[in-house]
Amino acid sequence: MQYRTIIRITGLLMGLFSMTMLPPALVAILYSDGGGIAFFQAFVVSLFLGFSLWYPNRQYRAELRTREGFLIVVLFWTVLGSIGALPFVFASEPQMSWTDSFFESFSALTTTGATVITGLDHLPKAILFYRHLLQWLGGMGIIVLAVAILPVLGIGGMQLYRAEIPGPVKDSKMTPRIAETAKALWYIYLLLTISCATAFWFAGMDVFDAICHSFSTIAIGGFSTHDASIGYFNSPVINLICVFFLLISAVNFSLHFAAFSRRGINLKVYVKDAEFKVLIGVQLALTVICFLVLFNSGIYDSAEDTLGHALFQAVSVSTTAGFGTESFHSWPLFLPMLLIFSSFIGGSGGSTAGGIKVIRMILLLLQGSRELKRLVHPRAIFSIRMGNVALPDRVVDAVWGFFSAYALVFLISMLSLLALGMDNVTAFSATAACLNNLGPGLGEVASNYADISDGAKWVLLITMLFGRLEVFTLLVLFTPAFWKN
Amino acid sequence: MQYRTIIRITGLLMGLFSMTMLPPALVAILYSDGGGIAFFQAFVVSLFLGFSLWYPNRQYRAELRTREGFLIVVLFWTVLGSIGALPFVFASEPQMSWTDSFFESFSALTTTGATVITGLDHLPKAILFYRHLLQWLGGMGIIVLAVAILPVLGIGGMQLYRAEIPGPVKDSKMTPRIAETAKALWYIYLLLTISCATAFWFAGMDVFDAICHSFSTIAIGGFSTHDASIGYFNSPVINLICVFFLLISAVNFSLHFAAFSRRGINLKVYVKDAEFKVLIGVQLALTVICFLVLFNSGIYDSAEDTLGHALFQAVSVSTTAGFGTESFHSWPLFLPMLLIFSSFIGGSGGSTAGGIKVIRMILLLLQGSRELKRLVHPRAIFSIRMGNVALPDRVVDAVWGFFSAYALVFLISMLSLLALGMDNVTAFSATAACLNNLGPGLGEVASNYADISDGAKWVLLITMLFGRLEVFTLLVLFTPAFWKN
Ligand SMILES: [K+]
Ligand SMILES: [K+]
């Protein structure tokens, strides 16, 4: 293991990340909200720490292998998550414990969007802006991780997306080198964010809210500057804009990359993609179910109103954004549970969404149907096909492995919460909401995570990390084989 | 498809099954409890129905293929389950609706042991005896299904147990023909039941209770003749006897067959078997956890008392028996939830226990650890081994398929219950308890299923059937390929 190279890279990352503290400091000055000092302190500390890691190792530039890749990815999230907690620790308003600071930071950076802060509407703007910025950076990190790094590492069948393996994304001719890919992806990401912010602004948000909510929408993070979340604006147009950009962000960014290339715009890329079609189909189905149940129970005055709320909540929860509207908690229990279950599907691979991912669900269903065919025709050979290409057994194996590891993490996390004395509904929904990087749950964590115990917060922080790092990236570090030479 | 042969066999089965009505009728006469007439009616009806199916097709004796095997297995449980409901329908005490009668009959025959009847202590003896007899016959059916039929059909990786595939059970040199195997297994089953009944009797139960509870213990069914279940006897010795025979019944019956063969007794067979060791390990671990948590919370007076209750409930729930003691409901929520989760593991394949089965869990873990190894060494080839033998990919695929199909059935069942208006805890635990053929759940179904809606009862009846038929046996009937020639 090239430890010193890894330390050098970690130092660089921290140094780079320290810059994150400057925009909120600027916001603090703009609004003279007195919150600036905490960010300046955090900037100095993280710059210093980063420098101390980087300087003694600046000569170490060994070629990195897959194994170091895992470690760097995990360090990226854990180290930046920890550094990201500093402004919360230093801030005098809100007063936050170390546990709460870490929880908020990891929740932001993993784009989970579970919060321990209440009274958002009265917080210093700098703190609000910073929370959204963290989500936005986390979203960027995920895109690069999911599109450029995980396929190379081969996590959970994502080698499927690897350029050299024939598959639905092959046509996109993704630039193979991580750096260039990353640059192109960030460009798309930035463009989407600007479009989303502009749309929110036109629809009536003030500039600050528009920017903040565009960050948390494109990152599918779900943070808001108001306790009432998007429900605060009480605007069907804003809800629709949010839905539109959530759906775009839940699509594999490789598809955006392929659709908007230098050769011009080619929207057929989407229609041809199996994962895209299933994603949209799932959203439609959920919306229809929510509409029918809500319409039947007569919670809203008009059919139009009902449809608007059904669409917004279906997309918000099932893409794992977790934005809320006020009336969600009054829905019949079946719907919140259905939507929380749907967050296990989540968005596409290579998007900012959480969950198991649509592509893996498709593969699980194809494999399930192959098993049924095998029972009827025991001697026949059936291959699993995506488009016209038979998938290698290795990919299928990896997806199965992913699914059961995901289930295992879910189980251990939920049992830990129960052991810490949490009630059943809260434990179930909090585990699902954190593992799927969704955010809000049901019961005690329906709107925030402020009232649960410190122990539970740490369990859930780790659960978020497992979800965001696709379980195996983190799990592999706990195997002896990983550390053996 | 050889329909007329299948109808002939179904008719035969029904005719044979009509005999089941006679022992309860005899019990009714013995205790002069007036319940005999219902059983006589059921006997006549089922004998007549069976004859009408058999007689016109008595000449059809086509060779059956795998496909007909699936259909016969499913018919065995559905047709006998329906016929088995007749005495409940006909009985004047207790007065039961059609839904309740079917629920009770399917719950008994699948050895689930969920009951809709309350006031067991005051029921006619004939009805009580009949419920236990149904469980006992269901348990017999399961053993034959799991040891002799499923391996041939190749359900959920159970081809692992097939004699021609090298594996841990190969040494047992299982008589290959189903009929002979069945005979040998029933002999073991009968012997175990007699031993269990004798032990219960010596420990203080009256003859009737001893026989009934031996039936529901060996079948891991969990029915009792008292509302308070085994807790009624309030006897540590009876609890221990119950634990002992539950553990024996949760072991693969092929092992018993191998251990007690004509060549003499050879207990090493058990110690050498990986599944047996894991089964016992899981029970021990659960007992220790329960003991520690209970001791810490000080529910019982002495450590001895605490250990007794911990052991009994751990084994009763995790082997999917579902016998209760009075104090279980006062345990900290973590423990009931832990035990319900453990019922997903269940007992060994080829036993009367429900759940996913220990052997499949072992394979899932081995495959998960292979995935981790593959991430670290992407170019290496790792095979999955049980004992000294590498398992064919086909077996591993089938186990994955089983796991996700199981998860899917769980999800659909739980969502259906929520849609029918059930609360979260009840829906979760009822689904788990019925899919794993465990019996009692939490919340509204902690002691019985009398108070849930008719719709919910039908959902759960189907869930039990999916669990007992290892999901795929039933699922395969819903594929078009199955019905195509
Ligand atoms: K989120
Ligand atoms: K049972």
Side-chain angles (χ1 to χ4, degrees):
Chain A
M1 197 78 77
Q2 303 294 341
Y3 288 109
R4 298 199 61 167
T5 304
I6 291 173
I7 295 174
R8 179 183 67 82
I9 293 175
T10 309
L12 263 180
L13 277 175
M14 284 169 78
L16 220 63
F17 187 74
S18 68
M19 305 300 156
T20 312
M21 309 301 170
L22 299 180
L26 205 73
V27 169
I29 294 166
L30 263 172
Y31 287 89
S32 2
D33 65 2
I37 186 76
F39 291 97
F40 189 70
Q41 289 170 327
F43 169 71
V44 172
V45 171
S46 50
L47 193 64
F48 172 77
L49 283 176
F51 183 81
S52 332
L53 291 180
W54 169 77
Y55 189 77
N57 302 300
R58 69 194 180 283
Q59 308 295 350
Y60 288 84
R61 296 168 169 276
E63 192 64 40
L64 296 180
R65 293 159 304 165
T66 318
R67 219 186 288 191
E68 278 99 10
F70 289 109
L71 200 52
I72 290 175
V73 168
V74 172
L75 284 172
F76 181 91
W77 259 267
T78 48
V79 170
L80 300 196
S82 308
I83 292 289
L86 292 180
F88 297 119
V89 173
F90 294 149
S92 54
E93 199 203 341
Q95 287 278 7
M96 287 170 75
S97 67
W98 280 89
T99 297
D100 278 358
S101 302
F102 269 76
F103 185 90
E104 196 76 10
S105 173
F106 274 82
S107 170
L109 207 64
T110 57
T111 78
T112 305
T115 185
V116 286
I117 303 179
T118 51
L120 293 172
D121 303 71
H122 311 294
L123 279 192
K125 297 281 189 201
I127 290 280
L128 290 175
F129 183 77
Y130 176 64
R131 293 166 75 239
H132 288 261
L133 186 63
L134 273 184
Q135 285 208 323
W136 192 64
L137 291 173
M140 268 193 180
I142 278 309
I143 297 285
V144 175
L145 180 71
V147 175
I149 302 177
L150 291 186
V152 178
L153 298 184
I155 292 288
M158 286 302 108
Q159 57 268 60
L160 183 70
Y161 285 140
R162 214 186 293 170
E164 65 265 33
I165 289 180
V169 189
K170 196 196 176 185
D171 299 318
S172 66
K173 292 214 175 65
M174 181 76 66
T175 327
R177 287 175 47 213
I178 291 181
E180 275 193 52
T181 311
K183 207 175 127 197
L185 291 171
W186 287 25
Y187 187 72
I188 296 173
Y189 192 77
L190 188 66
L191 211 74
L192 281 175
T193 310
I194 294 171
S195 318
C196 181
T198 313
F200 276 145
W201 183 50
F202 278 164
M205 283 192 192
D206 65 32
V207 174
F208 183 78
D209 276 352
I211 292 175
C212 285
H213 284 91
S214 74
F215 281 5
S216 53
T217 301
I218 302 302
I220 314 195
F223 269 159
S224 175
T225 52
H226 304 283
D227 282 337
S229 189
I230 295 269
Y232 169 87
F233 303 101
N234 199 16
S235 153
V237 179
I238 284 178
N239 288 358
L240 274 180
I241 293 171
C242 186
V243 162
F244 179 73
F245 281 98
L246 282 179
L247 287 178
I248 289 181
S249 308
V251 170
N252 190 330
F253 272 58
S254 315
L255 283 184
H256 298 320
F257 190 74
F260 298 89
S261 68
R262 283 174 208 156
R263 288 170 296 162
I265 293 171
N266 176 15
L267 296 180
K268 274 189 195 153
V269 171
Y270 296 109
V271 189
K272 274 191 222 155
D273 187 66
E275 190 180 15
F276 177 81
K277 284 184 277 191
V278 174
L279 173 73
I280 299 300
V282 168
Q283 307 296 325
L284 281 179
L286 289 170
T287 305
V288 169
I289 295 173
C290 289
F291 173 79
L292 291 177
V293 174
L294 289 174
F295 195 71
N296 193 47
S297 66
I299 290 184
Y300 300 103
D301 294 336
S302 68
E304 203 189 316
D305 216 22
T306 310
L307 184 62
H309 280 88
L311 175 69
F312 181 77
Q313 286 297 349
V315 172
S316 169
V317 179
S318 78
T319 62
T320 74
F323 286 118
T325 56
E326 201 191 357
S327 48
F328 186 52
H329 302 301
S330 58
W331 288 17
L333 179 68
F334 165 63
L335 292 183
M337 285 299 291
L338 174 73
L339 293 182
I340 284 186
F341 276 124
S342 81
S343 76
F344 278 95
I345 306 177
S348 302
S351 74
T352 49
I356 289 172
K357 307 292 179 313
V358 173
I359 185 80
R360 290 202 184 92
M361 287 297 181
I362 296 175
L363 289 178
L364 288 175
L365 281 179
L366 289 176
Q367 164 71 359
S369 102
R370 173 166 77 169
E371 280 307 310
L372 285 171
K373 282 188 221 149
R374 277 178 171 173
L375 288 177
V376 181
H377 302 290
R379 273 174 249 300
I381 305 282
F382 300 98
S383 59
I384 293 185
R385 300 180 154 271
M386 285 284 292
N388 296 316
V389 186
L391 295 183
D393 278 351
R394 189 96 175 218
V395 168
V396 179
D397 280 1
V399 172
W400 289 121
F402 181 86
F403 181 68
S404 48
Y406 209 81
L408 190 69
V409 172
F410 179 86
L411 184 73
I412 292 174
S413 174
M414 179 170 168
L415 281 175
S416 308
L417 294 178
L418 290 169
L420 290 166
M422 201 179 261
D423 73 276
N424 219 317
V425 174
T426 307
F428 168 81
S429 65
T431 304
C434 288
L435 184 59
N436 296 333
N437 301 123
L438 162 62
L442 302 170
E444 249 190 292
V445 295
S447 44
N448 63 68
Y449 286 66
D451 298 332
I452 61 174
S453 71
D454 277 5
K457 282 171 189 161
W458 284 103
V459 168
L460 289 171
L461 185 155
I462 294 167
T463 307
M464 293 174 199
L465 215 50
F466 266 107
R468 191 73 294 182
L469 296 177
E470 311 255 291
V471 184
F472 276 101
T473 320
L474 194 50
L475 215 52
V476 78
L477 300 195
F478 294 96
T479 60
F482 181 82
W483 301 100
K484 244 184 275 171
N485 269 317
Chain B
M1 198 78 79
Q2 303 295 339
Y3 288 108
R4 298 197 63 167
T5 304
I6 292 174
I7 295 174
R8 179 183 65 85
I9 292 174
T10 309
L12 264 181
L13 277 175
M14 284 169 78
L16 220 61
F17 186 74
S18 68
M19 305 299 156
T20 313
M21 310 300 170
L22 300 181
L26 206 72
V27 169
I29 294 166
L30 263 174
Y31 287 89
S32 2
D33 64 2
I37 186 78
F39 291 97
F40 189 71
Q41 288 169 328
F43 169 71
V44 172
V45 171
S46 49
L47 192 64
F48 173 76
L49 282 176
F51 183 81
S52 331
L53 291 180
W54 169 77
Y55 189 77
N57 302 298
R58 69 193 179 284
Q59 308 295 348
Y60 289 83
R61 297 169 167 275
E63 190 65 38
L64 296 181
R65 292 158 305 163
T66 319
R67 218 185 289 191
E68 278 100 10
F70 289 109
L71 200 53
I72 290 175
V73 169
V74 173
L75 283 172
F76 181 91
W77 258 268
T78 49
V79 170
L80 299 197
S82 308
I83 293 290
L86 293 180
F88 297 118
V89 174
F90 294 150
S92 54
E93 198 203 341
Q95 285 279 4
M96 288 170 74
S97 67
W98 280 89
T99 297
D100 278 358
S101 302
F102 270 76
F103 186 91
E104 196 75 10
S105 172
F106 275 82
S107 170
L109 208 63
T110 58
T111 76
T112 305
T115 184
V116 287
I117 303 178
T118 51
L120 293 173
D121 303 70
H122 311 293
L123 280 191
K125 298 280 189 203
I127 290 280
L128 290 175
F129 183 77
Y130 176 62
R131 292 165 76 239
H132 288 261
L133 184 63
L134 274 183
Q135 286 208 324
W136 191 65
L137 291 173
M140 267 192 180
I142 277 309
I143 296 284
V144 174
L145 182 69
V147 175
I149 301 177
L150 292 185
V152 178
L153 299 183
I155 293 288
M158 287 303 107
Q159 57 269 59
L160 182 70
Y161 286 140
R162 214 186 291 168
E164 65 264 33
I165 289 180
V169 190
K170 197 195 174 184
D171 299 319
S172 67
K173 293 214 176 66
M174 182 76 68
T175 327
R177 287 175 48 214
I178 291 182
E180 272 192 54
T181 311
K183 205 176 130 198
L185 291 171
W186 287 25
Y187 187 72
I188 297 173
Y189 192 77
L190 189 66
L191 211 73
L192 281 175
T193 310
I194 294 171
S195 318
C196 181
T198 313
F200 276 145
W201 183 51
F202 278 164
M205 283 193 193
D206 64 34
V207 173
F208 182 78
D209 276 353
I211 292 174
C212 285
H213 285 91
S214 74
F215 282 5
S216 53
T217 300
I218 301 302
I220 313 196
F223 269 159
S224 176
T225 51
H226 304 283
D227 283 338
S229 191
I230 296 270
Y232 170 86
F233 304 101
N234 198 17
S235 153
V237 178
I238 284 179
N239 289 357
L240 275 179
I241 292 170
C242 187
V243 163
F244 178 73
F245 281 98
L246 282 179
L247 288 177
I248 288 181
S249 308
V251 170
N252 191 330
F253 271 60
S254 315
L255 284 183
H256 297 320
F257 190 75
F260 299 88
S261 67
R262 282 175 209 154
R263 285 172 298 163
I265 293 172
N266 175 13
L267 296 179
K268 274 192 196 153
V269 172
Y270 297 107
V271 190
K272 274 193 220 154
D273 187 65
E275 191 181 14
F276 177 81
K277 284 184 275 189
V278 174
L279 172 73
I280 299 301
V282 168
Q283 307 297 326
L284 280 180
L286 290 170
T287 305
V288 169
I289 295 173
C290 289
F291 172 77
L292 291 177
V293 174
L294 289 175
F295 194 71
N296 193 47
S297 66
I299 290 184
Y300 299 102
D301 294 336
S302 68
E304 202 189 318
D305 216 22
T306 311
L307 183 63
H309 280 88
L311 174 69
F312 181 75
Q313 285 297 347
V315 172
S316 169
V317 179
S318 77
T319 60
T320 75
F323 286 117
T325 57
E326 201 191 358
S327 49
F328 186 52
H329 302 302
S330 57
W331 287 18
L333 179 65
F334 166 65
L335 291 183
M337 285 298 291
L338 174 74
L339 293 182
I340 284 186
F341 276 124
S342 81
S343 76
F344 279 95
I345 306 177
S348 301
S351 74
T352 49
I356 289 173
K357 307 293 180 313
V358 172
I359 184 80
R360 291 203 183 92
M361 289 297 182
I362 296 175
L363 289 177
L364 288 174
L365 281 179
L366 288 176
Q367 164 72 357
S369 100
R370 174 166 77 168
E371 282 307 309
L372 285 171
K373 282 189 220 149
R374 277 179 171 175
L375 288 176
V376 181
H377 303 290
R379 274 174 249 300
I381 305 283
F382 300 98
S383 60
I384 294 185
R385 299 179 155 271
M386 285 285 292
N388 296 316
V389 186
L391 296 184
D393 280 350
R394 191 96 175 218
V395 168
V396 178
D397 281 0
V399 172
W400 289 120
F402 181 86
F403 181 67
S404 48
Y406 209 82
L408 191 70
V409 172
F410 179 86
L411 184 73
I412 293 174
S413 175
M414 179 171 168
L415 280 174
S416 307
L417 295 179
L418 289 169
L420 289 167
M422 201 179 263
D423 74 275
N424 220 319
V425 173
T426 308
F428 168 82
S429 64
T431 305
C434 287
L435 185 59
N436 296 334
N437 301 122
L438 162 62
L442 302 170
E444 248 190 292
V445 295
S447 46
N448 62 68
Y449 286 66
D451 297 332
I452 62 174
S453 71
D454 277 5
K457 281 171 190 163
W458 284 102
V459 168
L460 288 171
L461 185 156
I462 295 167
T463 307
M464 293 174 200
L465 215 48
F466 266 107
R468 192 74 291 184
L469 295 176
E470 310 256 291
V471 184
F472 276 100
T473 319
L474 193 50
L475 215 53
V476 78
L477 299 196
F478 294 97
T479 61
F482 181 84
W483 300 99
K484 245 184 277 172
N485 268 317

